[in-house]
Amino acid sequence: RWCWVGFHKMPKDGGDGIGDWGDSAGVDQENGNFSTDDMEPGSYRVRIHANFGDNEYAEYHCQDVEVPPQGLDNLVLRIGAPVSQGR
């Protein structure tokens, strides 16, 4: 089992899709914490990627976030509807 967070730049057309790759962070399975020091300031569309065992994979919508020049601390992500699921 694993889980990671994908940060995608907002799409140039402002649509519902995702833009260019921004960064990613692994999620601690014990407490749900994640961290990254490599994100540039800007607007990001967040996706949660998870595997539940037996090759069951899912990608979930998450909220959009704005990263200011000083960065973010204590960001809480809320998982939304599935984007894709599969084996």
Side-chain angles (χ1 to χ4, degrees), residues 1 15 28 30 62 74:
R1 294 181 179 178
D28 184 313
E30 295 294 319
C62 215
N74 301 312

Side-chain angles (χ1 to χ4, degrees), residues 3 10 17 20 30 39 45 49 51 64 67 77 80-81 85:
C3 182
M10 297 296 284
D20 293 336
E30 295 294 319
M39 291 186 63
R45 183 147 290 156
H49 303 262
N51 175 280
D64 298 339
V67 176
L77 298 175
Q85 292 179 302

Side-chain angles (χ1 to χ4, degrees), residues 6-7 19 24 27 40 45 48 53 59 70 73-74 86:
F7 299 93
S24 65
V27 176
E40 297 177 6
R45 183 147 290 156
I48 303 290
E59 178 182 347
Q70 68 272 21
D73 286 321
N74 301 312

Side-chain angles (χ1 to χ4, degrees), residues 20-34:
D20 293 336
W21 184 250
D23 198 10
S24 65
V27 176
D28 184 313
Q29 296 300 296
E30 295 294 319
N31 59 28
N33 290 341
F34 63 93

Side-chain angles (χ1 to χ4, degrees), residues 6-23 38-47 64-65:
F7 299 93
H8 303 268
K9 295 183 179 176
M10 297 296 284
K12 293 183 188 338
D13 66 2
D16 291 335
I18 55 176
D20 293 336
W21 184 250
D23 198 10
D38 298 327
M39 291 186 63
E40 297 177 6
S43 299
Y44 294 88
R45 183 147 290 156
V46 182
R47 296 288 189 264
D64 298 339
V65 297

Side-chain angles (χ1 to χ4, degrees), residues 47-85:
R47 296 288 189 264
I48 303 290
H49 303 262
N51 175 280
F52 304 105
D54 296 330
N55 295 321
E56 291 186 35
Y57 167 83
E59 178 182 347
Y60 297 91
H61 284 278
C62 215
Q63 72 263 32
D64 298 339
V65 297
E66 183 70 29
V67 176
Q70 68 272 21
L72 290 174
D73 286 321
N74 301 312
L75 176 65
V76 175
L77 298 175
R78 290 178 174 69
I79 294 175
V83 175
S84 64
Q85 292 179 302

